[in-house]
Amino acid sequence: MKRDFSIWHTAFRGEKKELFPKRQRLKVWILFLLFTFAFPSSAHAEKLSFIRDAEIEHYLHELSTPIFRAAKLNPRAVNLLIIKNGEMNAFVAGGQNIFIYTGLLQSAETPGQLQGVIAHETGHIAGGHLVRGSRAMENASAQSMIGMLAALAAGLASGNGQVAIGAFGAAQSITERNLMSYSRAQESAADSAALRFLDSTEQSSEGFYDFMKKLAGQELIPEDQQSQYVRTHPMSQDRLQNIGHHLENSPYANKKMPALFNQMHERMQAKLLGFLRPEAALLRYTDKDPRIRARYARAIALYRKSHIDKALPLIDRLLKEEPDNPFFHELKGQILFENGRIKPAIVSYQKAVALLSDSALLRIAYAHALLESKDDTQLDKIIKQLTEADRLEARDPQTWRFLAAAWNRKHKITQVSYYQGLVFYGLAEESIALNKKEAASRYALRAIGILPKGSPYWLRAQDIRLETDKDPKD
Ligand SMILES: [Zn+2]
């Protein structure tokens, strides 16, 4: 999966990047002009960020993989992107990208409801539906909007945060103005597809029905009070009736989801609250609340408020109860790491990686902590972790920045020029992940000059040259 956005830190990466930090504003404006988009500058005022979190992504992956398979989509080729925004919304843009707002993650009451939304969005992907402009939107604007959404997805895939975030700012203001929506026919088609996916995976459509029922209630209230989801996906009583009818006749109507999903769902919501609204989390989950999710949310909230001395004992107690929980180890690692306690942080991250080896985010965090330890005996381990992270999730600029740093240390110790070539190669990869094509091309050229002709990284550096020279704009 190609995904990369601003990096906060591993456990909860995201949020770091304000929509348009001052020095980038000019560039963003230029991008807006390039897209010939007459969108209000109010989009600039919004703060927007993506959230990366190993635990939440793991849960969403578990929920959605059967649905993607039922839709005959390659689960690795569909990106599920979490946007930090309290509104309830989700939509598909730029091909196989499902955007879900944290507001929706928070308001879905059960895993079944969330899975229903994912199934419906998957129905839009499978049906090849394009969101279209409606109402006052002229056709030409609709076309440029679609182009912009495509650019947004491409920007995200290539890690080009500026394009992605710029495009998203506009997309955001479009959805908010009710200028973007699917047609009613597409909504019905996506519903039918969702029901098919749920049936073929022998799962109940009850959650889907419940969520849609909640939304259908909004049909009658003023538009400006409706959730964004209703505005992007026009709701109707007909749709609800169809889903209800299907549910009544489905042999899987009463089938329950595994209890583990409820647990993942509750912990996701507790975690989001702890990270995003620590004050609210401490109010909602009092220190009398014995539930694991409550203590988890408190540990996160206290850490976010810099009460490390209170957060660590909480997380230690959680680890005593669930010693094999990779995300508890990860949280502990993050708290320790950010407070300069590198060695114990490494121990925690190592455990997290051992317990969930297919998470690129965990491996990057582990490698980062190892790098910070300045222990040169760990360099090979660092390189191995990052190479594996890249295999799991291509083109993360942080992976390549750390790899270049590790190779640079190798070069300093050994004075072997091969490592110098790898440093340039790593910088080329980082640059291309950030869509800095000119720099990528320059670094790749230097790598090619040093690395043995025909060696694997020499070949990859050649590929970068080809890729960067293709685009005449740069
Ligand atoms: Zn829809």
Side-chain angles (χ1 to χ4, degrees):
M1 250 196 276
K2 290 182 178 177
R3 281 188 278 176
D4 177 78
F5 320 109
S6 60
I7 290 151
W8 160 354
H9 190 252
T10 45
F12 210 75
R13 305 201 310 179
E15 226 222 346
K16 192 174 104 186
K17 195 175 279 174
E18 290 193 5
L19 182 49
F20 305 124
K22 263 199 184 117
R23 62 191 155 77
Q24 286 180 10
R25 261 180 213 154
L26 183 65
K27 270 189 191 163
V28 168
W29 259 113
I30 292 165
L31 284 167
F32 271 47
L33 293 173
L34 277 178
F35 285 115
T36 55
F37 229 72
F39 271 96
S41 56
S42 68
H44 285 214
E46 292 163 37
K47 274 173 92 174
L48 208 91
S49 48
F50 292 87
I51 281 173
R52 298 291 322 266
D53 178 74
E55 182 173 22
I56 298 173
E57 289 178 14
H58 175 74
Y59 169 48
L60 293 178
H61 178 82
E62 295 289 305
L63 264 187
S64 57
T65 297
I67 301 292
F68 295 156
R69 292 226 169 92
K72 307 222 170 359
L73 297 168
N74 172 4
R76 279 181 69 91
V78 186
N79 292 319
L80 260 168
L81 305 148
I82 305 164
I83 291 159
K84 179 178 165 270
N85 185 310
E87 286 273 353
M88 187 162 75
N89 201 4
F91 59 89
V92 168
Q96 306 195 351
N97 302 294
I98 300 178
F99 296 83
I100 302 184
Y101 286 24
T102 48
L104 192 143
L105 296 177
Q106 293 286 59
S107 54
E109 288 153 43
T110 61
Q113 291 190 9
L114 182 53
Q115 192 180 42
V117 171
I118 292 171
H120 175 89
E121 297 306 320
T122 306
H124 283 307
I125 294 179
H129 303 160
L130 292 172
V131 276
R132 56 166 200 177
S134 63
R135 310 246 161 139
M137 206 173 186
E138 310 243 323
N139 216 14
S141 310
Q143 284 310 313
S144 30
M145 182 203 71
I146 289 160
M148 192 165 245
L149 288 171
L152 159 67
L156 291 176
S158 69
N160 184 351
Q162 280 174 23
V163 172
I165 291 170
F168 192 81
Q172 166 100 340
S173 82
I174 297 160
T175 56
E176 275 171 7
R177 278 150 211 275
N178 193 20
L179 289 170
M180 183 180 86
S181 66
Y182 295 101
S183 70
R184 290 193 181 260
Q186 287 174 337
E187 285 309 312
S188 297
D191 287 345
S192 303
L195 294 168
R196 210 167 54 238
F197 304 150
L198 290 166
D199 273 356
S200 68
T201 50
E202 304 188 1
Q203 301 186 86
S204 172
S205 40
E206 191 181 15
F208 183 35
Y209 176 76
D210 289 344
F211 196 79
M212 291 298 144
K213 193 171 159 192
K214 194 154 69 174
L215 295 175
Q218 296 192 353
E219 223 187 346
L220 304 169
I221 64 172
E223 254 178 41
D224 58 355
Q225 290 166 36
Q226 292 172 350
S227 67
Q228 285 187 19
Y229 193 82
V230 171
R231 285 182 266 161
T232 47
H233 304 259
M235 199 52 224
S236 67
Q237 292 298 328
D238 284 1
R239 280 181 63 196
L240 188 65
Q241 271 170 19
N242 286 337
I243 301 168
H245 183 74
H246 182 96
L247 180 63
E248 276 168 27
N249 295 291
S250 164
Y252 312 113
N254 296 316
K255 193 152 170 217
K256 295 273 167 270
M257 284 189 120
L260 185 63
F261 279 81
N262 288 319
Q263 188 190 81
M264 290 194 281
H265 192 83
E266 288 156 1
R267 290 188 188 178
M268 169 188 75
Q269 293 187 332
K271 184 177 215 176
L272 282 170
L273 195 67
F275 266 105
L276 300 176
R277 296 173 56 214
E279 302 279 357
L282 292 173
L283 283 173
R284 180 174 311 171
Y285 302 109
T286 68
D287 56 5
K288 306 271 182 297
D289 193 335
R291 295 173 302 175
I292 285 191
R293 65 171 175 273
R295 288 180 282 142
Y296 192 29
R298 284 187 71 80
I300 293 165
L302 289 165
Y303 143 68
R304 292 287 284 158
K305 289 170 66 62
S306 303
H307 297 305
I308 306 309
D309 51 326
K310 290 179 186 154
L312 276 176
L314 274 175
I315 192 75
D316 277 336
R317 229 165 300 151
L318 290 171
L319 273 167
K320 216 165 245 171
E321 287 160 61
E322 289 186 17
D324 293 335
N325 185 319
F327 311 114
F328 290 170
H329 286 291
E330 181 198 21
L331 177 63
K332 186 175 179 183
Q334 181 173 5
I335 294 174
L336 293 167
F337 181 80
E338 288 177 11
N339 286 279
R341 295 168 62 184
I342 308 296
K343 282 220 168 106
I346 288 171
V347 176
S348 292
Y349 279 131
Q350 185 178 22
K351 284 179 186 154
V353 168
L355 290 162
L356 191 73
S357 58
D358 63 356
S359 168
L361 289 179
L362 292 182
R363 287 182 187 270
I364 295 167
Y366 178 36
H368 187 191
L370 285 169
L371 258 180
E372 288 297 316
S373 75
K374 316 270 186 232
D375 178 354
D376 288 335
T377 63
Q378 302 297 314
L379 286 172
D380 290 331
K381 196 188 276 176
I382 294 166
I383 292 163
K384 196 177 143 228
Q385 288 299 330
L386 293 168
T387 310
E388 185 59 16
D390 181 60
R391 193 187 65 75
L392 291 162
E393 193 179 311
R395 292 230 163 133
D396 184 309
Q398 206 182 21
T399 299
W400 289 103
R401 191 159 60 250
F402 292 157
L403 262 175
W407 281 326
N408 192 37
R409 293 242 290 268
K410 275 272 188 192
H411 177 244
K412 283 205 171 122
I413 297 163
T414 61
Q415 294 297 313
V416 174
S417 66
Y418 173 69
Y419 289 117
Q420 180 71 58
L422 288 182
V423 172
F424 287 122
Y425 165 67
L427 293 172
E429 287 278 7
E430 185 202 2
S431 302
I432 205 156
L434 294 166
N435 208 32
K436 293 178 179 165
K437 290 188 179 171
E438 212 181 301
S441 179
R442 232 178 21 244
Y443 285 130
L445 189 65
R446 297 196 66 177
I448 289 163
I450 301 172
L451 294 171
K453 199 175 170 188
S455 64
Y457 287 125
W458 181 89
L459 288 169
R460 286 173 72 169
Q462 290 283 6
D463 287 344
I464 290 176
R465 285 284 289 176
L466 283 174
E467 192 176 337
T468 49
D469 290 346
K470 232 182 333 196
D471 195 358
K473 274 199 306 259
D474 288 277

